[in-house]
Amino acid sequence: ELDRLSAIKSYRTWQAGETILMEGADLPFVGSVISGSATLTRSMEDGRVQMVGLLMPSDFVGRHDRATVAYEVVAATEVTFCLFRRGEFRQMLYDTPHVMERMLQMSLDELDAARDWMILLGRKTAREKVATLLTIVLRRASTADRPLRAELPLTREAMATYLGLTIETVSRQISALRRDGLIRLDGKRGVLCDDLSALMTEAGDDEDGAILD
């Protein structure tokens, strides 16, 4: 199975701002993020755009059973994907039940994340939204050292689009979280956190990521 996967995979890198997949275009491949990050966006008929997802290392993009792209995928930073030719990958899933089970688990995880995002956009305050995004990035992209450190994959403008806020509100909330000692800023996009549980509480979540009542 590993030999079969190796025969249909390739690696490709995109620079920040480059379009990886266009919404509605043919889907030639599926794949997972090796390094960096990318955004998923959907466009409405009146030209408005909503960011609906953020791909980070280990995240999967594309559906083996869909021939066209559901979202526009754009590199937020320099990003490298491990790509699999879609048709051959789809056949391998049919031939290998436990790989199909793994894909199903990933789909269910994505569904859970989408439901959490519905709560974030619909019920959380601006402060909680920004704290939630920082928590996600720190938990997934930080080093194992203390304090936790991560590079923000999004500009303030992209964060605002993702969270449904204005750039000014995002900047104010980041400044407030820094002022309250929950985060520290390091360079242009570096974020440090000495107490992740305190930041998660500020985001309205417990240490397992569940929503606090």
Side-chain angles (χ1 to χ4, degrees):
E1 292 171 2
L2 290 175
D3 289 342
R4 189 172 175 183
L5 278 173
S6 295
I8 64 172
K9 77 177 180 181
S10 61
Y11 295 92
R12 183 172 172 184
T13 298
W14 285 266
Q15 300 303 311
E18 290 187 323
T19 299
I20 300 168
L21 292 168
M22 290 288 292
E23 182 180 348
D26 291 338
L27 179 64
F29 59 77
V30 296
S32 60
V33 179
I34 301 299
S35 63
S37 60
T39 61
L40 302 176
T41 59
R42 288 289 296 270
S43 299
M44 291 178 276
E45 291 185 359
D46 62 2
R48 287 177 295 169
V49 175
Q50 176 63 51
M51 193 181 302
V52 296
L54 179 63
L55 298 173
M56 299 179 70
S58 79
D59 284 339
F60 201 83
V61 64
R63 284 179 48 170
H64 68 278
D65 59 344
R66 177 175 287 172
T68 57
V69 183
Y71 310 102
E72 183 174 35
V73 184
V74 177
T77 65
E78 180 181 286
V79 60
T80 299
F81 279 82
C82 177
L83 305 175
F84 301 95
R85 295 191 292 272
R86 188 180 64 83
E88 294 170 74
F89 186 78
R90 177 181 58 193
Q91 187 59 51
M92 183 174 181
L93 292 183
Y94 294 151
D95 296 341
T96 316
H98 70 269
V99 177
M100 178 68 87
E101 290 175 5
R102 174 58 182 150
M103 290 299 298
L104 175 60
Q105 183 61 54
M106 293 174 68
S107 297
L108 293 174
D109 289 343
E110 185 177 343
L111 178 59
D112 287 341
R115 287 169 173 165
D116 288 343
W117 201 250
M118 288 173 64
I119 294 174
L120 183 150
L121 292 178
R123 303 298 297 175
K124 287 191 173 184
T125 65
R127 183 181 176 94
E128 288 172 334
K129 289 180 179 182
V130 173
T132 297
L133 180 56
L134 294 177
T135 297
I136 292 171
V137 172
L138 284 162
R139 293 183 73 180
R140 297 195 55 186
S142 68
T143 65
D145 301 327
R146 293 293 185 273
L148 295 176
R149 187 188 186 285
E151 289 287 323
L152 285 175
L154 301 175
T155 63
R156 300 275 174 104
E157 181 179 7
M159 289 175 65
T161 299
Y162 192 36
L163 298 171
L165 302 171
T166 64
I167 300 174
E168 293 77 14
T169 298
V170 169
S171 295
R172 282 197 302 269
Q173 296 305 326
I174 289 177
S175 296
L177 292 169
R178 179 186 58 80
R179 185 175 59 249
D180 294 342
L182 293 162
I183 60 170
R184 289 181 283 135
L185 303 181
D186 180 24
K188 188 175 181 180
R189 291 197 185 182
V191 176
L192 298 98
C193 179
D194 297 292
D195 188 350
L196 185 62
S197 62
L199 183 61
M200 292 180 71
T201 299
E202 202 64 32
D205 303 329
D206 64 19
E207 291 190 6
D208 293 324
I211 304 299
L212 291 172
D213 294 327

